Amino acid sequence: MILAERYQVVRPLAQGGFGKTFLACDRYLPGNPHCVIKQFRPVNLADSQLPTAQRLFDLEAKTLYQLGTHPQIPTLLAHFEKDGEFYLVQEYIPGVSLADELTQSFPPSELAASRQDYAYQLLHSLLTALSFVHQRSVIHRDIKPGNLIRREGSSQLAVIDFGAVKAIGAQSSALTIAIGSPGYIAPEQQAGRPCFASDLYASGIIALYALTGKAPQQQPTDPETGCLQISSDGISSEPSFVQFIQQLIKFNPAARFPHASAALNTLQSLNLTSASVAFPPTAFPISLPPFPETVLPSDTFPKTSLLDPKTVSPISAPAKTFVPTQQNILSPTESRNRQALLSKVDRFWIKGVLEHSLHGQVLLTLGLEENQRALSLPWNISYSQAAQPPQQLDAGVQVYDIFAQQGEGRSLLILGEPGAGKTTTLLTLARDLLENAQPGQRIPAIFNLSSWTGGSIAEWLISELNSKYQIPKAIGEAWVNGQQLLLLLDGLDEVRGDRQNDCAIALNTFHQNYGPELVVCCRIKDYEALDQQLGFQRALMVRSLTDEQIWQYLAQADSGLTGLRSLLERSTSTAVTVEGTSESGQTLFDLARSPLILNIMALTYQGLSASEIPALTQGESYTQQLFSAYISRMFQRRDIASPYSQQQTLRWLHELATTLTQTSQTVFLIERMQVPWWLTAAWQRYSYVVLLFLAYLVIATSIGWQVVSHRSLPLAIVIGAVMCARIFGIYRIVPAETLRWSWKKARHSFFLGLTLGPLIGWALKVGFVYIFSPGYCVQVPGCLLEISLIGLSFGLVIGINYAIIRGLSGTRITTVTKPNQGIRQSGKNAILFALVATIAPTLTSLIFANSTSTQFWSIAGLSFGLALGGGEACLKHGILRFVLFCQGRTPWHYPHFLDYAAQRILLQKVGGGYIFIHRLLLEHFAAMKPLK
C-alpha cells in the first residue's frame, strides 16, 4: 500500500480501537528512510464518540507540530486525509520499548550498576522530556512503559504516542474524558481533571517499577485507602530517592510537584549521580522559566475536591485521622438525609441480606481474577490490556482493595457464573464502603437493574430512590445530578432479555455524561451475549471454589455433612444429568464449585447419609431436583409454626415469582403492587373495575344526599370533577406516603390564594347567578353587591385553605421502613388530610361567609381530603388485594405470609420489601407448574 503517492507501507506495528500504526518508508527522500504512519480508522466506535476520537487525533498532529524538533520526541512529518480517513506521519525512532526492557530480570549492565542507578537514569531522562512538553502547556496523559522508547545506541528515552494529549489553558478546570492506562493513570485523571502532576504520577509508577522490579499491579497497597505503599525496607536505595518517588505518586495532585521542571530540579539536587550513569546532552536548558499562574495544578484541580485520607510518609506509619475540608462540611439537613440513606443501605442489604445469605454459610474467600477483555476500552487507552487472558489475583485480595485503588471516578464490572457469588461480592464491597464512609464522600447505594424498563439511568435512579429507599424525588434528583452517590448496581442479566443491550448502552451514556462512581454485576454468559460492552475501568471475574475449599468446608467438625462428602467423592467422575439439559456432562462435584449450590446441598442434606440422599430422576436437571429437595427440607423445620399449608405456600410463592419474572422485578414491595402486573386476564380487570366503580358509587351517593338536600350546585360540580379526574388513573396506584408541614410552601401558597382566590370566587358566583337565575338581579335591589361579597368571601375561603393544604405537602426521608408501610401511611395521611380539609374550610366559612354554607364546606373538604390525601390509593390497593384473595392467588394477610416464607429461608427481607434468597430459586418457583 502506498499512501499520498509517497509513503510505502512496510509492515503493521500495532492496532487499537482507533485505527492502525504502520512502519513505512519515504520514497521521495534519499535512502528511503523509515517513518511511522498512524491511520485513524475507528473500530466499533459509537457515533457519539467519533467526534471526540477525531478531535484527539487532530490534536496529536497539532501538538507534535507545536513541540517542534526535540531528540526525545518524534518529529511530525505530515498530516493528511485520504478517502475519508486521516493519516499522521512522524519520525521513526529505532530502539527498544521500555515495556520490554522492564520485563528483564535486571536492567542492562551498560545502563546502570544497580537498580537505583537504573531508576535514577530512567527518571532523569523521562522528566527531561516532560519538562519540555509541560513548558509548552501540554499534558501527555498516557505516560507508560509502552510509550517510552530507548533510542538505539543511546541511553535517551523518547516519548511517543501523543494521541491522548491535552492542552492546558484558561478552560483547564473543565471536566474532560478520562484517558490513561491501567496502573499508570492518576486518580484525578480518572475523574476527568488531568493536570501536569498527572504525568508525574505515571513517571513515579514507572520509576518504582524500575527500582523494585514489580509491575504496578504487584505493588503493595494500603488496605484502607488503596494508595501504593513504599517503604525503604527491602529496597537497596537511598531513603531520599525513595521519598522522591513517594512524592511523585501522592494521591493528592497538590502534594506532588507542580510540573516536570520542578521535579527534575529536585531530582538533580539529590546528588545521586553514579559514574555508571551517562546522560546525553540536552537540546535545551534544564532550568526553565516560571510557569504561568493559569496552568498551575492548583488552578486546574481544586485542592478541596480530592484529599489523600492518609498522608503516607515513605518511612513513617500512616496517619489514621480523616482531615475534614470545606467540601466535607454538611448542613444539618444534608447530614441527616445522608445518614438516613446510609442506615437504610446497611439495614436493608448488609444486616438484612449479606449477614443472612446462604453464601454466609460458607466462610470462604471467593477468588477473583482480572478480565479486561470484557470491557470496551476508550480508543486511546492501552489495547494490549484487552488482548491479555484473565489474570488470577492473589488469594486474599478483596474487591474493596481493588476498587479503592482506582481512585476518584472509579468504575468496576463484576462477572461470574450463576451462584458464583457476584451479589455476595457486591454486598461485601458495600459493607466495606459503609465502614469507611466519611462526611462529604459519595454515599454507597445498592440498586437492582431488573426494574429498569427503558429511558435514562438518571431518571430510573431517582425513581428507585423514591420507591425503594423512600427518598423524595427532589432530594434524589439533587444527589444523582450532584454525583453524590456511589452506585452499586446488581442484576444486569435480570433486565428483560430484549432490553439488556439497551441497558448497557444507557449505562455507558450515563457513565459518560454524569461521571459517576459505579459497580455493575452480571452473569458472564448474559454479558458475553451483549452487543455493547461497558466502558468501565476494570473488570473482575468471581472464580469458582477450588477443590481444597470444597473439601475443607465439608470436613468441618460436627457439620453433619459426611453423607454429602461421600456422595461427592463418588461423583467426581460421573455425570449427574441426562443429555439435553443445561448441565449435561457435569458431575455433582462440578456443581458444588458454586458457593450457592454447595450451600443448598449442605442445608438440604445435612444429617443424611449418602444412601438417604434421593436418587436422581430422569428428565430433570440436578439443580431443579436440588431446589425441590431444599424446599421440602425447609418445610420439615419444626422450630417454626406453620399457619399455612405447604401447598398454599408453594402456590402463593409461584404466583409471586411468576409476577416478578414477567415484570423484571427482584425486590417485591407490597405497596407497589399494580393492577396491570397482577391482573393480566381481561375478566380479572373487569372484576376490579366493577368493584372500584361500586366503591366510588357508594361514596358519591353519600355525598350526593347532601347535594340534593341542600341543592348545592357548586358541590355537585366539585364531586363530578373529582370523580372524572380520578377515573382516568383507575389502574395506577400511587401511595401518598409522606406529609409534612412546610412553612415555605404555605407562605407562597397563602400569597397566591389571597390574590387569586377572591377573584375566582367572585367570577364563579356572579357567573352562576347570571347563567342560572338571570332575573334575580333585576327583581332584587342591590343583588349585585350582595352576590359580589358572597363570591369574594367564597374565594377567600378557597385561598386560605389552599395555603393550608399546600403547606402539608412537604416531603421528608422516612427512617423506618416496614412491609406495606406506603399503604398504611397513605391511610393515615388521608385521615389527617381529610380532617384539615374539613375543619379549616368550616371555620373560615363561619368567619368570611355565612353559617348556611358550613355543611357544604365540611362535605367538600372531607371528599377532597380523602381523595387527595391518600384515600384513593388505599381504596384501589384494597380492592386489588381483595380480587387476588378471592382468586386464591395471595393470602389476605400478605405481610404475615411473606415473613413466614422468610423464616423458612425461601425469602429474605430487604427493608420493607422481600427478595428470593437467590435468583436461581426465583426462576425455579416461576418455572413450577401452577398449583391448585
Side-chain angles (χ1 to χ4, degrees):
M1 181 172 62
I2 299 178
L3 298 173
E5 301 180 354
R6 175 172 180 172
Y7 302 104
Q8 174 75 55
V9 174
V10 177
R11 59 181 173 87
L13 292 176
Q15 180 172 350
F18 69 93
K20 299 180 179 179
T21 304
F22 303 96
L23 177 66
C25 62
D26 191 339
R27 301 166 60 209
Y28 283 15
L29 292 180
N32 298 334
H34 284 135
C35 58
V36 174
I37 297 180
K38 283 190 174 184
Q39 178 191 31
F40 176 49
R41 177 183 289 176
V43 178
N44 298 328
L45 200 64
D47 293 340
S48 60
Q49 297 173 313
L50 190 61
T52 300
Q54 182 175 331
R55 175 180 60 83
L56 289 172
F57 189 82
D58 291 337
L59 182 60
E60 179 176 8
K62 295 177 181 178
T63 302
L64 287 173
Y65 181 76
Q66 173 190 357
L67 295 177
T69 302
H70 187 276
Q72 292 179 265
I73 298 174
T75 304
L76 177 67
L77 303 177
H79 181 231
F80 60 89
E81 178 184 357
K82 180 182 180 182
D83 298 331
E85 296 180 345
F86 297 87
Y87 296 88
L88 184 149
V89 184
Q90 62 189 53
E91 174 193 4
Y92 170 66
I93 299 179
V96 179
S97 168
L98 189 64
D100 296 332
E101 188 175 287
L102 287 172
T103 57
Q104 300 178 15
S105 59
F106 194 77
S109 58
E110 64 272 12
L111 293 178
S114 67
R115 281 201 176 275
Q116 175 180 298
D117 291 342
Y118 175 65
Y120 183 91
Q121 183 273 340
L122 183 154
L123 197 53
H124 186 282
S125 181
L126 177 55
L127 291 177
T128 300
L130 287 178
S131 296
F132 180 81
V133 174
H134 288 179
Q135 180 61 23
R136 277 128 186 95
S137 300
V138 170
I139 311 172
H140 188 280
R141 286 204 295 181
D142 199 13
I143 296 296
K144 62 180 180 179
N147 285 340
L148 301 176
I149 302 292
R150 192 169 301 277
R151 190 183 291 271
E152 194 174 72
S154 171
S155 60
Q156 278 187 334
L157 284 178
V159 182
I160 64 172
D161 197 353
F162 281 76
V165 293
K166 176 177 175 61
I168 294 295
Q171 303 299 323
S172 59
S173 61
L175 282 172
T176 184
I177 60 175
I179 295 176
S181 296
Y184 300 94
I185 184 172
E188 72 280 359
Q189 191 171 324
Q190 288 181 320
R193 294 188 180 274
C195 57
F196 292 124
S198 303
D199 285 346
L200 299 183
Y201 179 90
S203 303
I205 297 295
I206 293 174
L208 184 61
Y209 191 171
L211 186 64
T212 63
K214 296 181 180 179
Q217 295 80 3
Q218 300 172 320
Q219 298 290 344
T221 58
D222 188 299
E224 296 187 20
T225 66
C227 301
L228 293 179
Q229 282 186 323
I230 306 177
S231 173
S232 59
D233 298 338
I235 299 179
S236 178
S237 178
E238 290 289 337
S240 60
F241 187 50
V242 175
Q243 291 178 2
F244 177 78
I245 296 177
Q246 175 65 46
Q247 185 169 354
L248 291 178
I249 60 175
K250 287 284 188 180
F251 190 82
N252 182 11
R256 304 176 209 141
F257 298 97
H259 43 72
S261 182
L264 182 60
N265 288 333
T266 303
L267 178 66
Q268 291 178 317
S269 68
L270 298 179
N271 297 320
L272 298 178
T273 306
S274 170
S276 62
V277 182
F279 299 108
T282 57
F284 59 95
I286 292 177
S287 299
L288 299 172
F291 277 60
E293 282 296 322
T294 56
V295 301
L296 287 176
S298 58
D299 292 329
T300 60
F301 190 87
K303 290 184 178 180
T304 59
S305 63
L306 187 63
L307 279 182
D308 184 356
K310 293 184 172 185
T311 306
V312 182
S313 170
I315 304 300
S316 60
K320 296 294 183 183
T321 57
F322 174 77
V323 182
T325 66
Q326 186 66 31
Q327 192 179 21
N328 304 134
I329 300 176
L330 303 175
S331 68
T333 301
E334 291 173 335
S335 180
R336 183 170 56 251
N337 292 341
R338 170 190 171 85
Q339 190 57 47
L341 181 56
L342 287 172
S343 299
K344 287 187 176 185
V345 173
D346 181 63
R347 187 167 64 251
F348 295 175
W349 292 102
I350 308 306
K351 293 182 173 60
V353 178
L354 178 64
E355 295 180 2
H356 296 87
S357 67
L358 291 183
H359 286 293
Q361 305 297 323
V362 176
L363 302 178
L364 300 172
T365 302
L366 299 176
L368 300 172
E369 64 183 28
E370 192 97 21
N371 188 4
Q372 294 299 94
R373 294 184 301 178
L375 300 177
S376 175
L377 300 177
W379 65 270
N380 45 7
I381 290 182
S382 173
Y383 277 87
S384 60
Q385 295 286 339
Q388 295 179 359
Q391 299 178 0
Q392 181 172 327
L393 300 179
D394 295 337
V397 173
Q398 300 295 320
V399 66
Y400 176 77
D401 302 332
I402 298 171
F403 190 62
Q405 194 177 39
Q406 297 182 51
E408 188 75 13
R410 50 202 168 177
S411 56
L412 179 66
L413 172 65
I414 300 176
L415 300 171
E417 298 289 344
K422 302 180 298 298
T423 300
T424 300
T425 302
L426 183 75
L427 296 180
T428 302
L429 173 61
R431 180 198 62 196
D432 295 339
L433 289 169
L434 289 172
E435 291 176 353
N436 293 277
Q438 298 288 353
Q441 294 180 349
R442 305 193 193 213
I443 310 170
I446 300 174
F447 303 88
N448 197 290
L449 285 166
S450 62
S451 61
W452 183 87
T453 57
S456 73
I457 296 295
E459 294 175 355
W460 171 77
L461 286 171
I462 295 170
S463 176
E464 288 293 288
L465 283 167
N466 180 252
S467 62
K468 302 302 192 302
Y469 293 105
Q470 297 78 48
I471 304 297
K473 290 188 176 181
I475 298 176
E477 184 177 3
W479 281 352
V480 172
N481 293 335
Q483 301 180 12
Q484 297 183 44
L485 298 176
L486 198 163
L487 305 172
L488 305 171
L489 309 181
D490 196 12
L492 176 58
D493 53 281
E494 297 174 20
V495 178
R496 205 175 76 182
D498 59 342
R499 293 176 177 169
Q500 289 182 6
N501 200 66
D502 293 335
C503 185
I505 295 174
L507 285 170
N508 278 335
T509 301
F510 177 73
H511 185 218
Q512 182 179 7
N513 295 338
Y514 283 80
E517 292 188 354
L518 75 166
V519 182
V520 173
C521 285
C522 187
R523 292 181 181 178
I524 181 64
K525 291 184 179 178
D526 292 81
Y527 184 79
E528 290 175 344
L530 297 177
D531 297 330
Q532 178 76 35
Q533 290 185 321
L534 298 179
F536 289 3
Q537 294 177 19
R538 301 188 73 172
L540 297 179
M541 179 78 175
V542 181
R543 298 198 309 269
S544 301
L545 296 177
T546 64
D547 295 1
E548 182 182 358
Q549 288 177 309
I550 295 175
W551 295 127
Q552 179 183 4
Y553 172 69
L554 295 175
Q556 297 179 77
D558 301 327
S559 61
L561 301 177
T562 55
L564 177 59
R565 179 183 177 89
S566 300
L567 181 66
L568 292 179
E569 287 175 345
R570 295 198 307 267
S571 68
T572 53
S573 61
T574 305
V576 298
T577 56
V578 298
E579 185 178 358
T581 64
S582 60
E583 302 152 4
S584 181
Q586 286 188 308
T587 66
L588 276 178
F589 194 81
D590 292 332
L591 296 177
R593 296 188 186 280
S594 164
L596 173 71
I597 298 299
L598 181 58
N599 276 290
I600 292 290
M601 288 179 177
L603 291 172
T604 304
Y605 302 137
Q606 188 173 28
L608 300 180
S609 64
S611 60
E612 293 176 310
I613 297 177
L616 298 175
T617 303
Q618 293 293 318
E620 190 177 15
S621 71
Y622 177 73
T623 52
Q624 291 176 322
Q625 297 181 66
L626 176 62
F627 278 121
S628 297
Y630 168 77
I631 294 170
S632 299
R633 187 67 185 271
M634 292 302 101
F635 281 110
Q636 296 173 10
R637 297 181 59 185
R638 300 181 181 274
D639 57 331
I640 301 175
S642 301
Y644 310 99
S645 68
Q646 182 172 343
Q647 185 178 8
Q648 285 178 319
T649 303
L650 294 178
R651 181 174 70 250
W652 291 334
L653 288 178
H654 167 71
E655 291 287 346
L656 175 60
T658 301
T659 303
L660 292 178
T661 301
Q662 292 174 347
T663 57
S664 298
Q665 297 289 317
T666 298
V667 180
F668 173 60
L669 297 169
I670 302 177
E671 60 265 42
R672 299 295 168 178
M673 295 174 68
Q674 298 295 334
V675 175
W677 298 352
W678 288 85
L679 304 180
T680 55
W683 69 270
Q684 295 173 341
R685 296 190 183 186
Y686 288 151
S687 61
Y688 168 81
V689 172
V690 169
L691 290 174
L692 184 61
F693 176 76
L694 291 175
Y696 276 141
L697 185 62
V698 171
I699 297 174
T701 302
S702 62
I703 299 177
W705 178 83
Q706 295 291 338
V707 175
V708 175
S709 174
H710 298 279
R711 297 178 182 178
S712 180
L713 182 62
L715 181 57
I717 295 175
V718 166
I719 295 173
V722 171
M723 300 300 291
C724 293
R726 310 312 293 180
I727 199 69
F728 289 109
I730 197 168
Y731 289 137
R732 189 181 179 193
I733 303 175
V734 182
E737 300 177 40
T738 56
L739 284 179
R740 184 187 182 189
W741 179 256
S742 172
W743 282 108
K744 182 178 181 180
K745 288 189 175 182
R747 285 196 303 269
H748 293 169
S749 303
F750 190 77
F751 175 77
L752 185 63
L754 291 182
T755 304
L756 298 180
L759 295 178
I760 295 175
W762 176 84
L764 288 175
K765 189 65 176 178
V766 173
F768 281 145
V769 171
Y770 274 97
I771 292 175
F772 296 103
S773 301
Y776 178 74
C777 290
V778 177
Q779 299 173 2
V780 179
C783 71
L784 182 60
L785 178 61
E786 178 185 357
I787 293 172
S788 299
L789 291 176
I790 293 175
L792 290 173
S793 62
F794 178 87
L796 190 60
V797 172
I798 294 177
I800 292 175
N801 288 281
Y802 170 76
I804 295 174
I805 292 174
R806 283 288 295 168
L808 278 174
S809 60
T811 59
R812 64 179 177 180
I813 298 179
T814 57
T815 56
V816 179
T817 304
K818 299 178 181 179
N820 207 25
Q821 175 177 296
I823 295 300
R824 288 200 298 267
Q825 190 63 38
S826 295
K828 295 178 182 179
N829 291 340
I831 296 174
L832 175 61
F833 208 99
L835 289 175
V836 173
T838 301
I839 296 174
T842 301
L843 294 178
T844 51
S845 67
L846 291 175
I847 299 173
F848 295 102
N850 55 72
S851 59
T852 59
S853 62
T854 301
Q855 193 169 10
F856 160 75
W857 286 111
S858 301
I859 298 299
L862 180 63
S863 60
F864 266 113
L866 289 175
L868 301 179
E872 180 203 11
C874 294
L875 181 63
K876 290 181 177 180
H877 180 82
I879 293 176
L880 173 60
R881 293 270 299 277
F882 178 74
V883 172
L884 293 173
F885 171 73
C886 293
Q887 295 174 0
R889 298 175 59 193
T890 63
W892 179 248
H893 198 339
Y894 214 175
H896 184 266
F897 165 73
L898 296 173
D899 287 338
Y900 166 74
Q903 291 177 336
R904 291 289 181 190
I905 321 182
L906 300 173
L907 299 179
Q908 281 183 298
K909 293 186 67 173
V910 182
Y914 298 84
I915 62 174
F916 282 84
I917 60 169
H918 196 273
R919 182 72 182 183
L920 289 176
L921 186 63
L922 167 66
E923 295 169 353
H924 175 78
F925 270 107
M928 291 173 56
K929 295 181 180 180
L931 301 173
K932 301 298 183 182

